[in-house]
Amino acid sequence: MTSFNRSTSRRLKKLTQIPSVWEGDRRPMSSPPGFDSDSDAKGECILWVDGSQGVVRGMDVVSPETGPEAIVRTLMQAMEHPQSPSKPARPQKIVVKDREIQFYLRGVLQDLDITIDYVSELPLIDELFRGFTEIMDNQVPSLPAQYAQALFDKALTIWQQAPWEFLEEQQILAIEINNGDVGTLYTSVMGMLGVEYGILFYRSEASLKQFRAAVLEGNESQEHLEEAFLKQDCLFLTFETEDDTDEDEDEDLADLPTSDIEPSFGNIHPLEGLRSVLYEEEALTVFVALESLSRFMRDYHRQLENENFPSLSKRYRISPPNSDSESRQSLSVTVSTLPDLAAELEEMAGFEMEEDDLEDFPPLRDDLIPDDSFLSLGVISWEMLESLREVVKTHQSGEIPQVGDGLPVILIQTSRPKAKTVIENIAAAGGLKAICFNPGADPFDGDRYDLGLLQTENNELFLFGEFLDDDLTHREARKKWNQRCKNTQGYCGLIIAKGLTGASRGNPQLRDMMALFEVRSLSPKVLGLGTLQLMPEFEIP
C-alpha cells in the first residue's frame, strides 16, 4: 500500500485539527442511491463533506478505472485547499460506507491521528447525489426523441453532399416553409475555408445582414465578436469530431471518415443566447429545411458549381419523420438561390469585383517570379508588420483588422537584382491587386494542383507556385492561410526579399525585405477561372 512521504505527513499534521466529522464516498455519476446503472463511462464522483458544517470541502470526477489513490488525493485537497468558504484543516473523524475505502484510508492516514469509521448511511452525501439525480432526470434532451435519428441521418447526408465545396458563406439560399411561426429561412453554408463546417438557418434576412455588418465594422475585440455572435437569430447545424478531446486543432474534418463526424444542432437568439437544444417545433423546422436543402443540392449540384451564382428555384413536398398515416401532412417548401443578396453581401465584405474584372483575362503568365526563387506561405506578427511598413522602400498598404496571430503572407526571396525587377514589373502593371489559389489539373497524368496566382491591377495573372494537391506540407500551410485570411477579412500580403544565396536564405531578416504589398485574398469562386488545364502550359479555359 502506498503511504505518504514523511514530509507530507508532517505537513498535514501541522494543519489545525477541528472537531468535525467528514463524510467521504466515491460513486458512479450515473448510479445515484437506489438506482441501478451499467453506464460507468460517465465517470465516478468523489466527495468529501464536512458533516458538522454541512459544506462540501472537496470534489472530483475520475474515470472508473482510477485506483483508490484518487480518493486520498481529493481528501488532501479538502484538507489543504478546501472549497470556499472553508479554511484548511484536518478532521477529527472520517466516516465512509464502503469497507474497502475504510481499510484503505486507515492504512494511508494512520499517522495523522484521524479516526476512520464505517457507517451504513451518509446523509449529506446521499442528499447531494439525490440532487444530482434530479438534475440529470430533468435535463432536456438535445433533440426530441421522435426527430433525433432522422435529424442525425439527414445531417450525415448533408455532410456527404458537402455543399461547402461549391457554395460560399455569402451565397444564400431561401427556404420558404411557411408553417406555424416559420416563414423563410435564409441559409448560409459554412466550410469552404476548411475551418468550420455547418449550416446556419437565419430566421430573417435582417439578422443575417446585421451579423455580417457587425463582424465587418472593424471592432475585432473578443467581446464585440461574442456580442455579435449572440445577437444572431438562427437555427444551426454544425459538424465536429465524434471525440473532440483528441481533435488536432489544425485537422480538417473533411479529411476524416464519416464515422468520425458528429452533427450538433442548436439555436441562437438575442434574448436567449446560444442553446444546444432543439425543441419539437424547432426540430421539425430543421428537419424540413435539411431535407429540402438536400434535395436541392441533388437537383442543382452542377449549376451551383458554375462560376456565377445562378438564379434557381424549386418546390418540394416534405413529410415529417415518423408520422403515422392519419397525422401525416406534408409541407410545401420552396428553395431558391438569392444572387442579389449574395452580391450585396460580397460588396459588404469588400470582395466585389468590377464586371470587367471577370472578362477577357489574358493568358496566365509565369514570367514575373524567377524560377530559382525561395517561396513560402506563412505569417508575420502584427509587430513585425508595423516594423516592415517603416523599413521597406516599396509599400502598398491596406486597412487590415489585426485579428489572430498576424498577417498571412507569401514570401518570395530571390537575388537583389531580380527582386528589383519583380518590384518594378509589379509597379509597371499598376501595383498588386490580389493573391489567390486556384485549382489546376494535368489531363495527361491526372495530377491535380493548387496554383498560387498574383493578380496585378491591370488584371494580368502571374503564376508564383504550383503545389500538388497531395502535398501534405502545402495542404497544412493552405489550411492555416485560409483561417488567417478569414481572421483578417480577406487581407494578406506579398513580401519580396533579397538574400537568396546568403546566410539568410530561406529565413530573410528585416533588412533583406525590399517590398510589401498588402492586398486581398480572392477565392477561386470570386476569380471565376474554373480549373486551369496544362496544355502543356497552364491556360485559362
Side-chain angles (χ1 to χ4, degrees):
M1 177 183 295
T2 306
S3 58
F4 287 131
N5 295 326
R6 291 183 180 181
S7 60
T8 303
S9 295
R10 288 193 294 269
R11 188 181 76 243
L12 295 174
K13 289 193 70 172
K14 290 180 181 179
L15 294 172
T16 302
Q17 188 168 38
I18 56 177
S20 295
V21 178
W22 292 5
E23 296 181 10
D25 204 7
R26 171 176 176 168
R27 302 181 187 180
M29 289 293 292
S30 55
S31 299
F35 291 83
D36 293 325
S37 172
D38 57 0
S39 179
D40 286 343
K42 294 183 179 180
E44 295 184 342
C45 181
I46 298 173
L47 270 175
W48 284 102
V49 180
D50 186 331
S52 304
Q53 297 183 2
V55 296
V56 175
R57 291 188 64 97
M59 180 177 178
D60 195 10
V61 177
V62 299
S63 166
E65 292 77 25
T66 306
E69 298 84 3
I71 196 167
V72 180
R73 290 195 291 267
T74 310
L75 174 60
M76 285 188 64
Q77 294 173 9
M79 288 193 287
E80 294 189 294
H81 306 287
Q83 297 184 16
S84 181
S86 302
K87 297 180 179 179
R90 181 166 47 106
Q92 193 172 54
K93 184 178 180 179
I94 285 175
V95 293
V96 297
K97 61 179 297 183
D98 185 298
R99 291 289 189 186
E100 291 185 10
I101 293 177
Q102 178 195 14
F103 295 143
Y104 185 81
L105 291 177
R106 278 184 174 176
V108 173
L109 306 179
Q110 58 184 328
D111 296 331
L112 300 184
D113 300 329
I114 300 174
T115 302
I116 316 293
D117 282 348
Y118 168 84
V119 294
S120 59
E121 294 184 355
L122 299 171
L124 287 175
I125 290 182
D126 289 345
E127 183 62 30
L128 285 171
F129 271 91
R130 276 193 291 270
F132 293 159
T133 302
E134 289 178 5
I135 292 173
M136 294 169 65
D137 290 344
N138 292 329
Q139 281 185 340
V140 178
S142 58
L143 295 172
Q146 66 269 37
Y147 294 109
Q149 189 60 49
L151 280 170
F152 182 86
D153 293 342
K154 191 54 58 182
L156 291 185
T157 298
I158 295 290
W159 174 260
Q160 292 167 340
Q161 289 180 306
W164 39 81
E165 291 185 356
F166 46 87
L167 283 177
E168 298 189 31
E169 291 183 27
Q170 74 275 9
Q171 293 177 321
I172 307 301
L173 304 178
I175 302 179
E176 298 179 48
I177 296 178
N178 297 325
N179 179 58
D181 298 329
V182 181
T184 299
L185 298 178
Y186 296 85
T187 306
S188 175
V189 176
M190 303 184 299
M192 183 164 279
L193 292 178
V195 180
E196 297 173 291
Y197 294 90
I199 315 287
L200 299 176
F201 300 103
Y202 287 91
R203 294 185 177 92
S204 71
E205 182 180 330
S207 175
L208 185 155
K209 289 181 178 179
Q210 182 182 17
F211 173 67
R212 289 180 176 269
V215 171
L216 293 170
E217 71 180 22
N219 184 348
E220 297 299 327
S221 68
Q222 187 65 33
E223 294 78 8
H224 172 79
L225 292 176
E226 183 176 346
E227 182 182 4
F229 175 81
L230 294 176
K231 282 186 176 180
Q232 295 177 101
D233 184 7
C234 66
L235 299 159
F236 66 82
L237 160 65
T238 57
F239 296 95
E240 303 166 353
T241 57
E242 194 170 26
D243 183 7
D244 56 12
T245 57
D246 296 328
E247 182 182 354
D248 183 346
E249 287 186 1
D250 295 322
E251 186 173 45
D252 190 340
L253 297 187
D255 296 333
L256 301 177
T258 303
S259 58
D260 289 348
I261 301 302
E262 187 73 21
S264 178
F265 300 87
N267 174 83
I268 308 174
H269 187 273
L271 300 180
E272 193 174 358
L274 174 65
R275 164 167 47 87
S276 297
V277 170
L278 292 184
Y279 293 99
E280 187 169 340
E281 291 181 8
E282 297 167 337
L284 173 60
T285 297
V286 173
F287 174 82
V288 171
L290 290 177
E291 176 64 27
S292 56
L293 176 63
S294 176
R295 296 187 191 182
F296 192 76
M297 296 297 104
R298 176 200 63 197
D299 294 340
Y300 293 110
H301 183 282
R302 289 183 179 274
Q303 292 91 324
L304 292 170
E305 285 186 327
N306 291 337
E307 59 186 58
N308 295 319
F309 191 41
S311 179
L312 303 169
S313 184
K314 189 166 185 179
R315 180 177 295 179
Y316 302 96
R317 297 206 68 85
I318 310 296
S319 298
N322 304 323
S323 55
D324 55 43
S325 57
E326 296 181 0
S327 63
R328 190 178 183 85
Q329 183 176 359
S330 61
L331 301 175
S332 177
V333 180
T334 301
V335 183
S336 308
T337 58
L338 300 176
D340 291 342
L341 178 57
E344 183 180 348
L345 296 176
E346 287 181 357
E347 185 175 355
M348 287 172 59
F351 291 139
E352 77 282 3
M353 298 180 70
E354 299 293 333
E355 291 184 7
D356 295 343
D357 293 345
L358 296 180
E359 299 177 357
D360 302 325
F361 272 115
L364 179 61
R365 297 173 55 177
D366 63 356
D367 57 349
L368 178 65
I369 306 302
D371 291 338
D372 58 351
S373 300
F374 173 83
L375 168 69
S376 70
L377 281 69
V379 62
I380 58 172
S381 68
W382 300 117
E383 294 79 9
M384 177 68 169
L385 176 62
E386 294 300 328
S387 300
L388 189 55
R389 285 170 170 171
E390 295 177 0
V391 301
V392 293
K393 292 182 179 180
T394 302
H395 176 218
Q396 179 178 307
S397 63
E399 297 180 1
I400 303 174
Q402 296 192 2
V403 180
D405 55 353
L407 179 69
V409 294
I410 303 296
L411 170 68
I412 295 175
Q413 187 181 25
T414 184
S415 67
R416 181 184 180 89
K418 291 181 179 179
K420 289 182 65 176
T421 300
V422 172
I423 296 168
E424 290 168 358
N425 288 340
I426 292 176
L432 190 65
K433 184 174 185 178
I435 298 172
C436 72
F437 289 89
N438 199 82
D442 185 340
F444 299 103
D445 61 17
D447 286 339
R448 302 190 68 83
Y449 293 85
D450 192 26
L451 305 179
L453 306 179
L454 301 176
Q455 184 186 21
T456 52
E457 286 291 351
N458 63 358
N459 280 339
E460 286 191 302
L461 288 173
F462 295 90
L463 180 71
F464 71 80
E466 303 172 20
F467 309 94
L468 282 169
D469 267 0
D470 57 4
D471 183 336
L472 297 181
T473 301
H474 175 69
R475 286 176 61 183
E476 191 67 26
R478 278 278 279 117
K479 198 181 308 177
K480 293 178 180 178
W481 171 273
N482 289 343
Q483 178 59 63
R484 286 161 176 157
C485 287
K486 185 175 182 180
N487 289 338
T488 60
Q489 298 175 17
Y491 276 105
C492 58
L494 171 68
I495 296 175
I496 306 297
K498 63 179 181 177
L500 182 64
T501 59
S504 60
R505 173 182 171 83
N507 185 29
Q509 303 303 302
L510 197 61
R511 63 180 180 274
D512 300 312
M513 298 180 184
M514 299 175 62
L516 168 65
F517 299 90
E518 299 172 26
V519 295
R520 287 285 192 177
S521 171
L522 295 184
S523 71
K525 192 86 172 182
V526 173
L527 198 61
L529 300 180
T531 300
L532 303 182
Q533 303 291 326
L534 184 65
M535 299 287 185
E537 298 292 334
F538 279 108
E539 296 179 352
I540 297 175

